[in-house]
Amino acid sequence: MKRKPIIIILLVVFVAAAVTLFFLNKEKILGKAGVTGYAKTETAEPCECEASWFPHEQTPPPAEGDGSPFDASSTTNCIFHQWSWQKFLWLTKPLPSGNPLFLDSLDVVSPEMAPVAPQLGLKLVLSSINQAGPEAVLVSNPKNVPGKTAGDTVFYSIHVSKILLDKATLAASEINSGKVPYSNLETFPVGSLELKVSWISTDAIPKEKIADYFVTKAAFKNKQGQYVAKSVALLGMHVVGVVKNHPEFIWATFEHKEMAPVYDWKNNSVTSTAEMLFYESGTTSGLQGIKWNKTSKKPLTPNKAFILYEYGIPKVLSTNEYMTTSQSEPANFDNIDTINKCVASKLTDVFKNYFYNGSIWLNTDGLTPAQQAQTIVKSQISSVLPDSLARGSSNLANITMETYTQTFKNDVHDINAGNLVNCFTCHQSQNFDTSRGTGKSPLYLSHVFESYLYTTKPQLAAAKNVNLKAKRIEETKALKLKQFEEVFVRKNK
């Protein structure tokens, strides 16, 4: 009889310990059980940069394959942010030539992955001005430079690694020859890398601020069709790479810190007291500054471009609360903010003026390579609703590259977690060329690859006439625009 109170006490202690353990590990336990879609939060240790990344001249490439932080059945939010920053630092580290690594070491290609030949001894040749999606054009605010009466147009360059180029060339050959079906589970290998970089003439920047930008020479075609050299400033960069267990790529983006203000969701407005590169001073509200007018081919409100969400992390209108999505907040926001401050405190060169605006990837923890490929093809990878697979910045965008596709809504009151926009909204497994049926493959996440695949179809690749090839490129653009309007915009309206 005396044992009964002891047993009861032991049971009470056991239950109390179990409850305590559950709440201490609540997110981890529920996440594994599929009860929530949240990534694990990391509040114990801040997400810092690493001493080995500095000085910038000696930044090593991040580990990405076997033995890397991604070579595990369970990953943390922080390692994706660390990869993003280290990859950017490695790509921009100065070489003896005076150029950053990416300008000397990666291939410059067209949007159809055709080699871009150097001109005037310059590897950087700029001709592309259209953004993805509605093919919009971004022009600078002329008031940013005293006495200037017209803005300057933003140009884009695309750079790819040899690993991606070799796989893309082989895969296109095999698909076009019928060796590999149009719908397939092929993926790009670890180390595959694409960069999209935005540039503008230094004429758009006040003379006293030019030193705050990375500046180089680029070749342009003038109205007479002749190449001329011009000084350009780097504005932004998409860093898109494959690491182990993530064939969907990590989609990271970087921007210069003085280009546009961030929308104030608590006060439902956006404002700047000073002239900025893409925003005239003053206060506005609504989405007009980031909506593209297809009829006039101009923004609804010129020179009022702004960043919809800081670090691509959505908030709720009239509050300062984070929107509930598949990514746990504020842990993710704090990780981005912490690592940005860490890097800025260590850099001494011009790249201290650029910041990491976030990245997005999929939760593939515990999946085999075959399951990862299947996930890309069969899942709604762009969804950021709770229990979805997307992780990181739920509404990721770059102000210089997705200016007018930061949302498909026309009113801020209509934006919610079910219609947020990110890289995966447009970069999906469904190819735009439906002449061979609806094809799906992880390879089609790369718009450069899918354009290359189309323009190297046997009946197109045989065309030697320059005008005919130009027509095929225009066909490619039209097909992508049709897909954008019919698939992506319609789905998110």
Side-chain angles (χ1 to χ4, degrees):
M1 295 294 294
K2 291 183 178 180
R3 289 185 178 181
K4 209 169 191 180
I6 297 174
I7 293 173
I8 292 172
I9 292 170
L10 288 174
L11 283 172
V12 170
V13 171
F14 176 78
V15 171
V19 170
T20 302
L21 184 63
F22 172 80
F23 280 100
L24 286 174
N25 296 275
K26 180 181 179 182
E27 190 168 342
K28 185 174 181 180
I29 293 168
L30 293 180
K32 285 185 176 181
V35 177
T36 78
Y38 292 155
K40 290 176 291 189
T41 53
E42 299 165 77
T43 55
E45 294 182 11
C47 189
E48 302 284 0
C49 56
E50 296 185 0
S52 62
W53 302 354
F54 308 98
H56 193 190
E57 295 83 357
Q58 298 175 20
T59 305
E64 299 174 331
D66 294 343
S68 72
F70 306 99
D71 184 14
S73 59
S74 178
T75 56
T76 66
N77 176 278
C78 181
I79 65 172
F80 294 88
H81 301 314
Q82 289 177 323
W83 176 89
S84 299
W85 249 123
Q86 188 179 358
K87 195 76 169 182
F88 178 78
L89 291 172
W90 175 69
L91 289 164
T92 57
K93 75 175 181 179
L95 300 179
S97 65
N99 285 333
L101 184 143
F102 79 93
L103 280 181
D104 280 4
S105 303
L106 300 182
D107 288 289
V108 183
V109 298
S110 73
E112 296 75 38
M113 214 178 78
V116 174
Q119 302 293 335
L120 306 177
L122 299 171
K123 192 174 179 181
L124 184 60
V125 181
L126 300 177
S127 60
S128 177
I129 62 172
N130 294 114
Q131 295 189 10
E135 298 218 317
V137 176
L138 180 61
V139 177
S140 66
N141 166 29
K143 292 182 180 180
N144 191 47
V145 178
K148 197 171 177 64
T149 57
D152 290 87
T153 302
V154 175
F155 284 77
Y156 306 97
S157 62
I158 299 172
H159 311 253
V160 297
S161 67
K162 188 175 185 303
I163 294 174
L164 183 138
L165 195 60
D166 288 348
K167 174 62 177 180
T169 305
L170 175 62
S173 174
E174 291 181 332
I175 293 170
N176 282 326
S177 68
K179 184 177 179 181
V180 171
Y182 189 49
S183 291
N184 61 77
L185 295 177
E186 293 286 308
T187 61
F188 285 104
V190 171
S192 295
L193 176 70
E194 285 186 31
L195 306 182
K196 187 171 183 180
V197 188
S198 53
W199 309 86
I200 200 167
S201 167
T202 51
D203 294 340
I205 300 168
K207 291 182 179 179
E208 68 274 13
K209 292 188 176 181
I210 291 177
D212 293 337
Y213 290 80
F214 170 75
V215 173
T216 189
K217 290 280 187 181
F220 293 81
K221 266 188 181 179
N222 60 20
K223 293 180 180 179
Q224 291 73 41
Q226 299 173 320
Y227 281 99
V228 295
K230 200 167 187 179
S231 291
V232 293
L234 189 154
L235 302 180
M237 182 186 292
H238 282 328
V239 179
V240 184
V242 175
V243 300
K244 187 162 187 178
N245 292 318
H246 289 277
E248 79 280 8
F249 293 86
I250 299 173
W251 300 74
T253 196
F254 294 81
E255 301 177 20
H256 195 275
K257 64 184 182 181
E258 293 186 351
M259 297 193 295
V262 180
Y263 201 83
D264 182 349
W265 284 85
K266 186 173 184 179
N267 296 304
N268 191 20
S269 66
V270 60
T271 188
S272 175
T273 57
E275 300 295 338
M276 301 185 77
L277 187 57
F278 298 116
Y279 192 89
E280 287 184 3
S281 61
T283 300
T284 63
S285 62
L287 300 173
Q288 289 82 0
I290 56 171
K291 300 300 292 185
W292 183 250
N293 188 327
K294 290 181 287 185
T295 303
S296 66
K297 294 190 175 181
K298 291 181 179 179
L300 293 180
T301 305
N303 306 318
K304 286 291 186 179
F306 57 85
I307 299 166
L308 189 62
Y309 293 113
E310 186 176 13
Y311 300 154
I313 299 171
K315 290 191 173 183
V316 179
L317 190 64
S318 301
T319 75
N320 204 35
E321 299 297 321
Y322 293 101
M323 197 178 291
T324 301
T325 67
S326 57
Q327 174 63 68
S328 176
E329 299 296 353
N332 177 63
F333 183 97
D334 291 344
N335 281 348
I336 296 172
D337 197 52
T338 297
I339 198 169
N340 275 342
K341 290 173 180 175
C342 182
V343 172
S345 70
K346 301 285 195 302
L347 281 176
T348 58
D349 61 16
V350 70
F351 287 101
K352 67 185 179 182
N353 298 307
Y354 295 80
F355 72 98
Y356 168 52
N357 200 35
S359 61
I360 193 165
W361 63 93
L362 298 180
N363 176 18
T364 57
D365 284 1
L367 299 183
T368 66
Q371 290 171 329
Q372 293 159 13
Q374 288 279 1
T375 295
I376 293 170
V377 169
K378 293 185 176 182
S379 302
Q380 292 293 331
I381 63 173
S382 63
S383 173
V384 294
L385 291 172
D387 298 321
S388 297
L389 296 173
R391 296 289 184 269
S393 298
S394 303
N395 207 97
L396 185 65
N398 187 296
I399 185 61
T400 66
M401 297 188 231
E402 289 88 25
T403 317
Y404 310 103
T405 55
Q406 295 183 71
T407 180
F408 293 136
K409 294 298 179 180
N410 295 318
D411 191 308
V412 291
H413 296 85
D414 296 332
I415 302 175
N416 56 58
N419 56 47
L420 293 172
V421 177
N422 55 62
C423 302
F424 291 135
T425 304
C426 293
H427 291 270
Q428 296 192 15
S429 62
Q430 183 175 322
N431 190 256
F432 64 75
D433 177 16
T434 56
S435 64
R436 292 183 276 193
T438 302
K440 288 194 172 185
S441 170
L443 296 172
Y444 304 150
L445 269 69
S446 168
H447 286 175
V448 174
F449 172 75
E450 62 175 347
S451 297
Y452 176 73
L453 178 66
Y454 181 79
T455 55
T456 54
K457 289 170 70 173
Q459 63 269 39
L460 303 183
K464 297 185 184 298
N465 185 290
V466 174
N467 291 329
L468 184 56
K469 284 191 173 183
K471 182 180 178 182
R472 299 311 184 200
I473 291 173
E474 290 304 312
E475 286 179 5
T476 305
K477 292 180 180 179
L479 286 170
K480 286 199 286 189
L481 183 59
K482 180 181 178 182
Q483 184 191 54
F484 173 75
E485 292 290 346
E486 293 184 355
V487 180
F488 307 130
V489 176
R490 187 183 68 227
K491 280 185 178 179
N492 288 275
K493 277 294 185 182

